Amino acid sequence: MLVLLKPGAAESAVSDVTSRLRMLGLAVHRTDHEGQVRLCAVGEVGRVDWAQAAGWAAIERLEKIPSPFKLVSRAFQPAATLISVGRVTIGSEQLALMAGPCSVESEKQAFTIAAAVARSGATVMRGGAFKPRTSPYSFQGLGEEGLRILRRAADAHGLAVVSEVMDTAQVALMARYADILQIGARNMQNYSLLREVGQLDKPVLLKRGLAATIEEWLMSAEHVMSQGNRQVILCERGIRTFETYTRNTLDLNAIPVVKELSHLPVIVDPSHGTGIRNKVAPMARAAIAAGSDGLMIEVHHDPDHALSDGAQSLYPEQFEELVGQVRTIAGAIGRRV
Amino acid sequence: MLVLLKPGAAESAVSDVTSRLRMLGLAVHRTDHEGQVRLCAVGEVGRVDWAQAAGWAAIERLEKIPSPFKLVSRAFQPAATLISVGRVTIGSEQLALMAGPCSVESEKQAFTIAAAVARSGATVMRGGAFKPRTSPYSFQGLGEEGLRILRRAADAHGLAVVSEVMDTAQVALMARYADILQIGARNMQNYSLLREVGQLDKPVLLKRGLAATIEEWLMSAEHVMSQGNRQVILCERGIRTFETYTRNTLDLNAIPVVKELSHLPVIVDPSHGTGIRNKVAPMARAAIAAGSDGLMIEVHHDPDHALSDGAQSLYPEQFEELVGQVRTIAGAIGRRV
Amino acid sequence: MLVLLKPGAAESAVSDVTSRLRMLGLAVHRTDHEGQVRLCAVGEVGRVDWAQAAGWAAIERLEKIPSPFKLVSRAFQPAATLISVGRVTIGSEQLALMAGPCSVESEKQAFTIAAAVARSGATVMRGGAFKPRTSPYSFQGLGEEGLRILRRAADAHGLAVVSEVMDTAQVALMARYADILQIGARNMQNYSLLREVGQLDKPVLLKRGLAATIEEWLMSAEHVMSQGNRQVILCERGIRTFETYTRNTLDLNAIPVVKELSHLPVIVDPSHGTGIRNKVAPMARAAIAAGSDGLMIEVHHDPDHALSDGAQSLYPEQFEELVGQVRTIAGAIGRRV
Amino acid sequence: MLVLLKPGAAESAVSDVTSRLRMLGLAVHRTDHEGQVRLCAVGEVGRVDWAQAAGWAAIERLEKIPSPFKLVSRAFQPAATLISVGRVTIGSEQLALMAGPCSVESEKQAFTIAAAVARSGATVMRGGAFKPRTSPYSFQGLGEEGLRILRRAADAHGLAVVSEVMDTAQVALMARYADILQIGARNMQNYSLLREVGQLDKPVLLKRGLAATIEEWLMSAEHVMSQGNRQVILCERGIRTFETYTRNTLDLNAIPVVKELSHLPVIVDPSHGTGIRNKVAPMARAAIAAGSDGLMIEVHHDPDHALSDGAQSLYPEQFEELVGQVRTIAGAIGRRV
């Protein structure tokens, strides 16, 4: 239930309403918008006598939020969420460019790529240390050693770090090294993991599952936000369809849909979305044109010898050229790199 | 089989090779590229003794075309196909903007919309006279009367005409009124109809079927081309996936894929692709950024009273604004409106 | 609108109501059920003053049919449609076993297979004379010569004939040779073709399209029935999903769903549904257990040399063994071969 | 790599080969089949000089396993895996009937349902204590208290227990109460969790993910087996397609496919597969006819008041009737309840 307080309500009144709602067994989340305090009460709202609550002092009116996601919805928070990480504010008019290798493989690899993507305009470095692999016999990532390398390489070039966390037991470790914790597509509905990162005070990048509807994806973001962590970045990375020419079907339609339904920033990963190097740049450009808040791109200086996903990684020169094109398109719709 | 003749081969030699291939029971198609004659021989190629044929005078070399589509492939024709219709050359650096109502409803409606879209920069007018409707009890289109109106409205504003043909029996009639004959998504594998339009000397706009792989779509274009008609325009209009928020999932990945595999122009219909008015402009912009050769957009001055598809039609003002944005994005990638 | 007449209403009263409805511009279809005349009025029902009509003599009550399909629905016709073809009544407790080659290839082939499937218990022979092929360079069927052969082979062994019609122009020809006209999956929404076979007095077998929802499939049946032909047999043959191990995903869930929504018989084609010979028998057994009214199976005595679909054709011995298993399962749910 | 030893090779020779393979850095798994020891060596097999290894004493021959899954394949283990749990041996000619509520709600509920399903022939009781819910505000299960109730209810009626584990941190707890640990569809690619249950000596029931290909599903089973736990039961529970009439599309095609590729038992969950009560029984019958090793069915005595999934739960009487039908169909294909 959305509880809108009277404009100018005193903080003591806000506290009072909040306390009363909590005594009813509900959790209360607050946002302020254009001088008005908006409270979102979640939990077993069906048991509450709302007609009575509507009469409390300081309450202007109550509104049901029609979607199954509440904190994630624009109904609760009309203004866009802005998430500052290093030199970029995700969700602002500045696009967030995240780039780096699929997996961290070695110090040399990480530093080489960090230098290249930073020079081209990236502000966040991606790199996997724990890799979810279909086969138990494939390279599983360097683990903590990989995180250490990634952190140093990023720091050396003024980049923030995003890396995937696969398990609740890894969350504390990951939070020591990464600025943004990534939840991978396969774990989008791993609710234990969502709850765990929901208790952090660090941004979470939530990839859309291969078979997840947009609504389910937003519901997973709600799991994170319901634990108190409001810094959720959504990331479209392709859905599974019958088409097999591309590895996945990057669903750019999701961008304007999410932008309408939610205040959360949403970025696009065309590397996994297409799985084919020469399709990455066209789809990256298209993502920006469709309104994406940023890009997450796999870049490798020697993709033929990459331990994972080489076929979809851009060469540093390709990434640089892409950033140039993105800059122009961004300008056409009032944004910038 | 692709038969590459020696550069500078005399026309008589070309005729000779062509005749010999035909005597082997094959159909022969020709394209000239950078001073070289390229012949594509199709039919029961497995029965031919190619080792022997390779020795014929004037033949430089033979190449197997690895894809199941032959005439449609870049292997046969490396250069882009250009199709001139009215004031636009589809496939050139100029984008083809096709716009108009879902269905032609009346003289007044058609002329109003034609005036608006022409003013905004469209060069082709779309409008249905024969409508494929899921229900036999829905409005089925005005038929020939609709075509007559459409033609007059387009002529009055210097626009070419594209309209859907649903049946072999309608082809001759449609060819009298339309400049481009559209094959709808539901008929993408109606091979009788494809063969019929393949015998025309008019451009054919071939929409991708809801469940068609890119390969199947190109194979349907091959059906048309195998009958002699090389003027095929492909049109992506959304595929069917599990996602239900949008009416279909517009698959922009198909644009760079088609551009790599084929020399045929490809445009995008974001109106059917999304089915939601406020998602049309973002996806239209994204289509251009991804490399589409044009757009097909439903525009209606009074969509609330449209007899079909009102919910996905742009208002004329929205179309005008969209064309402005498209112009800027086109500039960023070396194209123009 | 469903118009239920008073039990025992005189025929003259039925005629009177029918005439009045027709004068309102509606088409009227009738079924009798348990002593009651049920009229289904279709067309622009929104324009009619039903409150007034409800007061006409002989009318017991009016009911809105909630589904978009009307004549196809159990709301209109509660009792199962029975369609007699040769020695079988499709939709009765007797299962309809249709078997034969993908394509008719020669007299010898057709007679050999006809003999085999008749001996095993089939009552209808399938065989393609006009083949919808993805490639224009593949075998397209023997045409009328194929139909002639198919008819003679079937007659020689007391079998009825089902064969696919691809185009309105072929309908009259096909109706001379076949007992059941098949509409293929690719033509499920070829509305011109549906209308044409809707005017015949012959059963139509309507395959589900690869991307068709159950509702769309029933709507296509409605197109046929709206023209007056009530003899529609539905045929599930697999839908397109992300799974690629099987050619298609045979959707047996559709059987109980269709049985609840509609009175029309529904059979299953596990040959196209799976595309793999050794998966045909398990899925055929499963189809019967799920309530299918019959099976359509590809059988070939020499599948390695079949001109189409050899890999999914059963050997005659496999078909015979399958019929034995089907007989036992049928017994378990009150049906018979 | 599959290493086939000479028939009758001494145990000392087996140990020797195993040790040598391990010294090469490989993990070695063994199965005995018709008097022959078969070793499957997994890991970085590409680095090994197999030509040399082929010459070791006791080795008959080496075979590459062509599929990406190794231990799961019939190539490694030709005979069916049998898993004994309580009174049933899963994978044998006896079908495994697992039944119970979606969630454990109370002592009374669990005991009532346990009594009913045991009387009808179930041998395993299902019941959720940790529930993966799309909404963070829905009922999340009773946790350990639910497990305690479930165990007691099952014990009171001679039933084994299967229940879902959602997180590595829950595995030890779950293993104290349940005889079979279920990995839910959303966690099919939660590799941390798969590894954890792979180290248990208890059967694992692995549900197919909504968008998982059969190959990916088997690869997830490989993750479990690669840790040493060979007791994996596969469970088909519906995939996500464009069809929305049913909650999911139960893919029975997977049954014969899995049976060919793998030695692992596979059962079917038609409750989640269809999501509609009156579709459960037809699809359960079809599953058995297609060769499923068992069923997992939601049963509730008061589904209208169930805290989750009431709409797809059978009444106890419906379950009893279904078991009767299943018994007859099982008999038709040489199996029994």
PDB file of all heavy atoms in Angstrom, chain C residues 70-83:
ATOM      1  N   LYS C  70     -16.700 -19.148 -31.287  1.00  0.00           N
ATOM      2  CA  LYS C  70     -18.113 -19.322 -30.926  1.00  0.00           C
ATOM      3  C   LYS C  70     -18.605 -20.710 -31.335  1.00  0.00           C
ATOM      4  O   LYS C  70     -18.954 -21.537 -30.523  1.00  0.00           O
ATOM      5  CB  LYS C  70     -18.965 -18.253 -31.620  1.00  0.00           C
ATOM      6  CG  LYS C  70     -18.442 -16.832 -31.451  1.00  0.00           C
ATOM      7  CD  LYS C  70     -18.462 -16.365 -30.026  1.00  0.00           C
ATOM      8  CE  LYS C  70     -17.904 -14.949 -29.863  1.00  0.00           C
ATOM      9  NZ  LYS C  70     -17.692 -14.594 -28.470  1.00  0.00           N
ATOM     10  N   LEU C  71     -18.605 -20.961 -32.668  1.00  0.00           N
ATOM     11  CA  LEU C  71     -19.128 -22.231 -33.185  1.00  0.00           C
ATOM     12  C   LEU C  71     -18.274 -23.400 -32.731  1.00  0.00           C
ATOM     13  O   LEU C  71     -18.737 -24.527 -32.606  1.00  0.00           O
ATOM     14  CB  LEU C  71     -19.158 -22.189 -34.716  1.00  0.00           C
ATOM     15  CG  LEU C  71     -19.910 -20.988 -35.289  1.00  0.00           C
ATOM     16  CD1 LEU C  71     -19.788 -20.955 -36.805  1.00  0.00           C
ATOM     17  CD2 LEU C  71     -21.372 -21.047 -34.876  1.00  0.00           C
ATOM     18  N   VAL C  72     -17.016 -23.114 -32.495  1.00  0.00           N
ATOM     19  CA  VAL C  72     -16.042 -24.123 -32.096  1.00  0.00           C
ATOM     20  C   VAL C  72     -16.213 -24.496 -30.622  1.00  0.00           C
ATOM     21  O   VAL C  72     -15.787 -25.563 -30.194  1.00  0.00           O
ATOM     22  CB  VAL C  72     -14.625 -23.544 -32.357  1.00  0.00           C
ATOM     23  CG1 VAL C  72     -13.556 -24.273 -31.578  1.00  0.00           C
ATOM     24  CG2 VAL C  72     -14.322 -23.556 -33.854  1.00  0.00           C
ATOM     25  N   SER C  73     -16.897 -23.668 -29.861  1.00  0.00           N
ATOM     26  CA  SER C  73     -16.899 -23.820 -28.402  1.00  0.00           C
ATOM     27  C   SER C  73     -17.907 -24.863 -27.921  1.00  0.00           C
ATOM     28  O   SER C  73     -18.936 -25.112 -28.553  1.00  0.00           O
ATOM     29  CB  SER C  73     -17.224 -22.481 -27.747  1.00  0.00           C
ATOM     30  OG  SER C  73     -18.592 -22.168 -27.953  1.00  0.00           O
ATOM     31  N   ARG C  74     -17.620 -25.430 -26.775  1.00  0.00           N
ATOM     32  CA  ARG C  74     -18.566 -26.329 -26.117  1.00  0.00           C
ATOM     33  C   ARG C  74     -19.784 -25.555 -25.632  1.00  0.00           C
ATOM     34  O   ARG C  74     -20.835 -26.125 -25.408  1.00  0.00           O
ATOM     35  CB  ARG C  74     -17.902 -26.990 -24.909  1.00  0.00           C
ATOM     36  CG  ARG C  74     -16.891 -28.044 -25.251  1.00  0.00           C
ATOM     37  CD  ARG C  74     -17.283 -29.400 -24.639  1.00  0.00           C
ATOM     38  NE  ARG C  74     -16.250 -30.380 -24.931  1.00  0.00           N
ATOM     39  CZ  ARG C  74     -16.498 -31.584 -25.437  1.00  0.00           C
ATOM     40  NH1 ARG C  74     -17.746 -31.981 -25.685  1.00  0.00           N
ATOM     41  NH2 ARG C  74     -15.522 -32.419 -25.686  1.00  0.00           N
ATOM     42  N   ALA C  75     -19.633 -24.252 -25.455  1.00  0.00           N
ATOM     43  CA  ALA C  75     -20.786 -23.457 -25.028  1.00  0.00           C
ATOM     44  C   ALA C  75     -21.887 -23.550 -26.086  1.00  0.00           C
ATOM     45  O   ALA C  75     -23.069 -23.663 -25.763  1.00  0.00           O
ATOM     46  CB  ALA C  75     -20.373 -22.009 -24.807  1.00  0.00           C
ATOM     47  N   PHE C  76     -21.496 -23.493 -27.346  1.00  0.00           N
ATOM     48  CA  PHE C  76     -22.488 -23.620 -28.425  1.00  0.00           C
ATOM     49  C   PHE C  76     -22.943 -25.071 -28.553  1.00  0.00           C
ATOM     50  O   PHE C  76     -24.130 -25.372 -28.527  1.00  0.00           O
ATOM     51  CB  PHE C  76     -21.876 -23.130 -29.742  1.00  0.00           C
ATOM     52  CG  PHE C  76     -22.682 -23.485 -30.963  1.00  0.00           C
ATOM     53  CD1 PHE C  76     -24.044 -23.183 -31.038  1.00  0.00           C
ATOM     54  CD2 PHE C  76     -22.088 -24.131 -32.046  1.00  0.00           C
ATOM     55  CE1 PHE C  76     -24.798 -23.516 -32.178  1.00  0.00           C
ATOM     56  CE2 PHE C  76     -22.834 -24.468 -33.178  1.00  0.00           C
ATOM     57  CZ  PHE C  76     -24.188 -24.163 -33.234  1.00  0.00           C
ATOM     58  N   GLN C  77     -21.990 -25.982 -28.678  1.00  0.00           N
ATOM     59  CA  GLN C  77     -22.335 -27.383 -28.916  1.00  0.00           C
ATOM     60  C   GLN C  77     -21.719 -28.250 -27.820  1.00  0.00           C
ATOM     61  O   GLN C  77     -20.544 -28.577 -27.877  1.00  0.00           O
ATOM     62  CB  GLN C  77     -21.821 -27.816 -30.294  1.00  0.00           C
ATOM     63  CG  GLN C  77     -22.164 -29.263 -30.607  1.00  0.00           C
ATOM     64  CD  GLN C  77     -21.600 -29.728 -31.942  1.00  0.00           C
ATOM     65  OE1 GLN C  77     -21.685 -29.012 -32.935  1.00  0.00           O
ATOM     66  NE2 GLN C  77     -21.052 -30.925 -31.980  1.00  0.00           N
ATOM     67  N   PRO C  78     -22.518 -28.629 -26.841  1.00  0.00           N
ATOM     68  CA  PRO C  78     -21.951 -29.392 -25.721  1.00  0.00           C
ATOM     69  C   PRO C  78     -21.474 -30.787 -26.118  1.00  0.00           C
ATOM     70  O   PRO C  78     -20.504 -31.286 -25.550  1.00  0.00           O
ATOM     71  CB  PRO C  78     -23.114 -29.467 -24.724  1.00  0.00           C
ATOM     72  CG  PRO C  78     -24.031 -28.345 -25.095  1.00  0.00           C
ATOM     73  CD  PRO C  78     -23.910 -28.208 -26.589  1.00  0.00           C
ATOM     74  N   ALA C  79     -22.130 -31.412 -27.078  1.00  0.00           N
ATOM     75  CA  ALA C  79     -21.775 -32.804 -27.407  1.00  0.00           C
ATOM     76  C   ALA C  79     -20.652 -32.845 -28.427  1.00  0.00           C
ATOM     77  O   ALA C  79     -20.520 -31.968 -29.281  1.00  0.00           O
ATOM     78  CB  ALA C  79     -23.007 -33.519 -27.969  1.00  0.00           C
ATOM     79  N   ALA C  80     -19.840 -33.883 -28.341  1.00  0.00           N
ATOM     80  CA  ALA C  80     -18.694 -34.030 -29.229  1.00  0.00           C
ATOM     81  C   ALA C  80     -19.127 -34.155 -30.687  1.00  0.00           C
ATOM     82  O   ALA C  80     -20.111 -34.823 -31.000  1.00  0.00           O
ATOM     83  CB  ALA C  80     -17.897 -35.269 -28.847  1.00  0.00           C
ATOM     84  N   THR C  81     -18.414 -33.517 -31.571  1.00  0.00           N
ATOM     85  CA  THR C  81     -18.633 -33.669 -33.006  1.00  0.00           C
ATOM     86  C   THR C  81     -18.095 -35.021 -33.450  1.00  0.00           C
ATOM     87  O   THR C  81     -16.973 -35.394 -33.099  1.00  0.00           O
ATOM     88  CB  THR C  81     -17.903 -32.538 -33.758  1.00  0.00           C
ATOM     89  OG1 THR C  81     -18.633 -31.323 -33.574  1.00  0.00           O
ATOM     90  CG2 THR C  81     -17.799 -32.831 -35.252  1.00  0.00           C
ATOM     91  N   LEU C  82     -18.904 -35.727 -34.208  1.00  0.00           N
ATOM     92  CA  LEU C  82     -18.490 -37.019 -34.759  1.00  0.00           C
ATOM     93  C   LEU C  82     -18.361 -36.868 -36.271  1.00  0.00           C
ATOM     94  O   LEU C  82     -19.257 -36.323 -36.918  1.00  0.00           O
ATOM     95  CB  LEU C  82     -19.517 -38.098 -34.432  1.00  0.00           C
ATOM     96  CG  LEU C  82     -19.792 -38.326 -32.936  1.00  0.00           C
ATOM     97  CD1 LEU C  82     -20.832 -39.426 -32.750  1.00  0.00           C
ATOM     98  CD2 LEU C  82     -18.505 -38.682 -32.208  1.00  0.00           C
ATOM     99  N   ILE C  83     -17.276 -37.324 -36.833  1.00  0.00           N
ATOM    100  CA  ILE C  83     -17.048 -37.174 -38.272  1.00  0.00           C
ATOM    101  C   ILE C  83     -16.758 -38.544 -38.865  1.00  0.00           C
ATOM    102  O   ILE C  83     -15.749 -39.172 -38.549  1.00  0.00           O
ATOM    103  CB  ILE C  83     -15.871 -36.217 -38.532  1.00  0.00           C
ATOM    104  CG1 ILE C  83     -16.186 -34.828 -37.951  1.00  0.00           C
ATOM    105  CG2 ILE C  83     -15.552 -36.141 -40.020  1.00  0.00           C
ATOM    106  CD1 ILE C  83     -15.045 -33.824 -38.038  1.00  0.00           C
TER     107      ILE C  83
END
